[in-house]
Amino acid sequence: MAGKLPPWLRELGESIQVDNSVLEAMDLPRERFVDSSFNADTLAAQALPIGNGQTISKPSTVARMTDALMKCRPKKVLEIGTGSGYQTAVLCRLVDMVYTVERLRNIQLDSIRRLYRLEIYNFKALCADGTLGWKTNAPYDAIMVTAAAQTVPPALFEQLSPGGLLIMPVGEQHQELCVFNKSESGEITRRSLGSVNFVPLIAGVSD
Ligand code: SAH
């Protein structure tokens, strides 16, 4: 119910067109996903640092990406770039199971701890190079990549179910948030949701 949403999410819902279920899923204590203390306005509006030079996406971007992905009614989602775990938490509230891959071990461990503290358990986390996807559990109904690259890693299209959607920021200097649809026959089509600014997708794992 829109009336139950906190003011920052009500305002977000007035500024962009997204399903109410997405706004409800975003009603999480955002301050718990960042290490340092930020004031409420900053938390509500901006991308925030989460350590190791990485950022938690701004709420309007989380809302748009989640809303776009939910159009294919996914039950099983692969997320590349766990980061703070905020986007993971939002997805966990909307789908049955989230498989999330992060290349930085310390960031991954922090995110798992945060999700458990919020009593969110319907996810599996892997510390690995997400450009390779997570083959063991493939195929996925939908895939969300929260780091940018010049092209979509081919393994991700391979691990996407026919009829599924993949959303990812594509480009280097100038990035576009792209939604890719894989048809029943395996054909890929693409549309853009506009310009975005994400940290880069980096191949390989690091400790
Ligand atoms: N969705 C996150 C924000 C992600 S920031 C949130 O809600 O907080 C992007 C994340 O992608 C960073 O944590 C970065 O370490 C990770 N990343 C970059 N390249 C990667 C790769 N090849 N595989 C897995 N994770 C990667």
Side-chain angles (χ1 to χ4, degrees):
M1 297 296 119
K4 284 193 197 155
L5 291 171
W8 71 276
L9 279 169
R10 275 211 303 277
E11 279 166 33
L12 184 63
E14 282 156 17
S15 64
I16 52 171
Q17 265 288 310
V18 295
D19 200 90
N20 213 53
S21 60
V22 171
L23 297 174
E24 282 168 7
M26 287 177 63
D27 187 6
L28 287 156
R30 219 168 121 79
E31 68 283 358
R32 290 220 214 156
F33 291 85
V34 288
D35 292 329
S36 8
S37 54
F38 291 90
N39 69 40
D41 288 346
T42 314
L43 284 165
Q46 291 173 19
L48 301 168
I50 55 174
N52 284 64
Q54 306 302 318
T55 53
I56 172 171
S57 310
K58 61 179 179 182
S60 58
T61 306
V62 174
R64 284 163 63 215
M65 290 182 85
T66 310
D67 190 68
L69 207 73
M70 290 308 295
K71 298 288 184 226
C72 70
R73 299 177 181 277
K75 290 190 162 59
K76 182 179 166 187
V77 173
L78 174 67
E79 178 193 31
I80 306 299
T82 317
S84 70
Y86 179 74
Q87 176 72 71
T88 318
V90 173
L91 287 170
C92 282
R93 290 176 125 193
L94 292 163
V95 308
D96 291 349
M97 185 59 82
V98 178
Y99 296 86
T100 185
V101 183
E102 168 60 54
R103 66 181 284 275
L104 298 174
R105 172 72 70 191
N106 60 341
I107 281 195
Q108 188 218 16
L109 294 177
D110 284 348
S111 70
I112 294 173
R113 213 173 307 122
R114 287 189 190 107
L115 291 162
Y116 283 168
R117 270 198 214 122
L118 291 167
E119 297 183 4
I120 294 173
Y121 304 112
N122 58 325
F123 70 94
K124 296 206 189 309
L126 177 73
C127 184
D129 178 4
T131 62
L132 306 173
W134 190 347
K135 208 171 172 186
T136 330
N137 307 296
Y140 302 93
D141 302 328
I143 299 179
M144 182 184 286
V145 186
T146 59
Q150 195 69 282
T151 54
V152 178
L156 300 184
F157 281 138
E158 283 160 22
Q159 293 173 27
L160 182 65
S161 291
L165 293 176
L166 182 151
I167 186 160
M168 174 173 166
V170 177
E172 271 166 15
Q173 247 64 304
H174 173 79
Q175 301 170 11
E176 300 241 347
L177 186 54
C178 294
V179 184
F180 299 86
N181 177 231
K182 185 173 181 176
S183 74
E184 295 298 333
S185 59
E187 193 197 344
I188 305 286
T189 51
R190 149 186 176 154
R191 72 189 169 93
S192 170
L193 296 183
S195 299
V196 281
N197 190 12
F198 277 79
V199 299
L201 185 71
I202 300 164
V205 182
S206 138
D207 346 271

